[in-house]
Amino acid sequence: MVTPRDKFLEVFPSLVDELKSILVNYGMPPEAIQWYERSLQHNTPGGKLNRGLSVVDTYTILKGHSSVDELSAEEYKKLAILGWCIELLQAYFLVADDIMDQSITRRGQPCWYKVPGVGDIAINDAFMLEAAIYSLLKKHFKQDSYYVDLIELFHEVTLQTELGQLLDLITAPEDSVDLNKFSLDKHSFIVIFKTAYYSFYLPVALAMYVAGIHDEKDLKQAQDVLIPLGEYFQIQDDYLDNFGTPEQIGKIGTDIQDNKCSWLINKALQIVTPEQRKVLDENYGKKDAKCEAVVKQLYDDINLEKYYKEYEEKTAKDIQSKIDLIDESRGFKKDVLTAFFKKVYKRSK
């Protein structure tokens, strides 16, 4: 049986061929074209693909279909291309992010800049992954009335994500720990801008444009639910990094050693005693398993898990009440938001 992910993946090779043909037409030599293909294949299709698949799923719901199979081949292809444009955006962010963070592996394989012979060329490859988005949009959507909307949306969300990354980098550099820079307000800005816009709002807004739902009120209705949902999603990640098991989350949590400006440390800073604060200052962000264990123990001592559970229940109620108030009179459907909420609420991985 072909899964939705398999069907989505089937579209990718033709897009790689299209992108390679652009280089061919420019007269690029074969070794450059092969390099570009390697970069596309290494960096784009290896993740969960949830963002890309969400474009297809959202459009299906907006059109009142019970499954993706009810879409025409032409409809599916256009939506899948937009989904792959988000995955290219993600690839662009990750290639650059891994260089900035000096990461070693990504999705179970070496980070692109760590692949032998790549190194700093990965910086240029990141730019080319981003440029691929606009090549595909031009080829497949230039004739559509919403073409400019798509371009503007990708540009705006890219800037928003980079603003979140900037604040994250200057607030919590790995090599310089200063917990005085941390706050829940900063954390909120970082996760909304760095994650929520491109992971939650972008897929839905793209599907809405294709479905002919482009009223500012509808886009705002979607954004008003999806942005807090995206923030909740990231705070879950922060929680699971410490309280989840490696079997659950597929990795060993490293937020404490990496000096991450996570929800847990920011919440802890709100509630610790002066003595406990001193312990955090002395142990947080150190590349040392013993220091990490001290912080983890302190998290348990202040019952941080209880504070997270309280946050989760309050947030879930707030989001659900916003969904209940959605105005469907112009064609937008609250089922889109409910589907996202169900995937996120109380997830364990």
Side-chain angles (χ1 to χ4, degrees):
M1 182 182 162
V2 178
T3 66
R5 190 176 187 277
D6 293 337
K7 186 174 182 180
F8 186 66
L9 279 165
E10 285 171 6
V11 176
F12 188 63
S14 66
L15 302 184
V16 173
D17 289 341
E18 284 178 27
L19 293 166
K20 283 165 57 185
S21 73
I22 296 169
L23 274 61
V24 171
N25 292 336
Y26 278 130
M28 289 289 280
E31 64 266 29
I33 296 165
Q34 288 164 10
W35 182 285
Y36 187 37
E37 180 172 14
R38 273 181 67 211
S39 168
L40 287 165
Q41 296 286 8
H42 185 97
N43 295 305
T44 315
K48 299 188 193 84
L49 309 179
N50 288 339
R51 295 169 183 84
L53 287 164
S54 293
V55 182
V56 183
D57 293 342
T58 297
Y59 180 88
T60 303
I61 294 169
L62 289 172
K63 285 296 183 182
H65 299 315
S66 56
S67 93
V68 172
D69 297 333
E70 293 179 39
L71 302 178
S72 70
E74 184 185 353
E75 275 180 307
Y76 182 84
K77 179 84 183 284
K78 289 193 90 159
L79 294 158
I81 290 167
L82 287 175
W84 279 113
C85 284
I86 301 183
E87 295 299 331
L88 283 163
L89 185 67
Q90 162 89 331
Y92 157 58
F93 290 148
L94 296 184
V95 170
D97 199 42
D98 288 340
I99 298 169
M100 287 182 258
D101 291 347
Q102 293 292 290
S103 300
I104 307 300
T105 60
R106 168 74 67 181
R107 297 168 172 170
Q109 59 183 355
C111 296
W112 180 236
Y113 83 101
K114 282 289 188 183
V115 171
V118 176
D120 287 346
I121 301 170
I123 298 167
N124 193 64
D125 293 330
F127 299 152
M128 290 184 69
L129 290 166
E130 186 197 21
I133 297 165
Y134 301 99
S135 298
L136 293 173
L137 291 178
K138 183 177 179 181
K139 175 165 185 186
H140 294 278
F141 297 91
K142 191 171 183 183
Q143 74 285 359
D144 291 304
S145 61
Y146 51 84
Y147 174 56
V148 173
D149 292 320
L150 299 182
I151 291 174
E152 288 186 347
L153 182 61
F154 269 103
H155 281 314
E156 183 177 20
V157 169
T158 300
L159 174 60
Q160 287 165 330
T161 309
E162 289 160 350
L163 291 174
Q165 173 75 338
L166 171 62
L167 189 58
D168 194 14
L169 289 168
I170 63 175
T171 300
E174 277 196 53
D175 58 350
S176 175
V177 183
D178 182 0
L179 297 184
N180 290 319
K181 289 183 176 180
F182 287 18
S183 72
L184 278 173
D185 283 344
K186 271 190 186 172
H187 175 268
S188 180
F189 186 96
I190 289 167
V191 301
I192 286 172
F193 279 74
K194 189 176 171 179
T195 302
Y197 278 111
Y198 93 96
S199 299
F200 284 77
Y201 177 64
L202 179 59
V204 172
L206 291 173
M208 288 171 71
Y209 281 126
V210 181
I213 302 167
H214 45 72
D215 189 292
E216 284 298 326
K217 289 178 182 171
D218 284 318
L219 290 162
K220 186 162 190 320
Q221 283 196 112
Q223 186 169 307
D224 286 349
V225 171
L226 291 164
I227 296 308
L229 190 58
E231 182 178 15
Y232 166 42
F233 176 86
Q234 184 57 52
I235 290 172
Q236 281 178 319
D237 255 16
D238 293 352
Y239 166 79
L240 290 168
D241 184 89
N242 185 75
F243 292 103
T245 64
E247 293 74 31
Q248 275 181 301
I249 62 176
K251 62 179 181 178
I252 296 168
T254 60
D255 283 1
I256 293 171
Q257 288 199 29
D258 291 346
N259 189 37
K260 292 292 184 188
C261 181
S262 84
W263 186 86
L264 295 179
I265 182 63
N266 281 291
K267 190 65 186 174
L269 289 169
Q270 269 195 339
I271 55 182
V272 290
T273 64
E275 291 78 14
Q276 290 170 324
R277 168 60 192 258
K278 192 164 181 291
V279 171
L280 289 176
D281 283 327
E282 290 169 354
N283 292 279
Y284 196 79
K286 301 276 172 65
K287 301 288 188 188
D288 183 312
K290 288 180 183 173
C291 292
E292 180 185 48
V294 169
V295 175
K296 281 178 169 282
Q297 183 58 54
L298 191 149
Y299 282 177
D300 289 341
D301 292 345
I302 61 174
N303 207 354
L304 202 50
E305 190 164 15
K306 172 180 78 85
Y307 287 96
Y308 169 77
K309 299 287 186 191
E310 289 170 356
Y311 158 82
E312 181 173 56
E313 286 313 307
K314 181 182 183 306
T315 302
K317 280 182 186 168
D318 290 347
I319 291 171
Q320 189 58 62
S321 64
K322 284 181 179 174
I323 293 173
D324 291 340
L325 294 171
I326 292 293
D327 173 12
E328 296 182 314
S329 62
R330 288 178 301 273
F332 185 60
K333 292 192 168 78
K334 63 176 71 173
D335 287 354
V336 167
L337 304 173
T338 301
F340 268 84
F341 180 64
K342 283 180 178 173
K343 284 179 193 170
V344 172
Y345 183 52
K346 292 207 168 174
R347 71 188 174 96
S348 58
K349 61 182 179 179

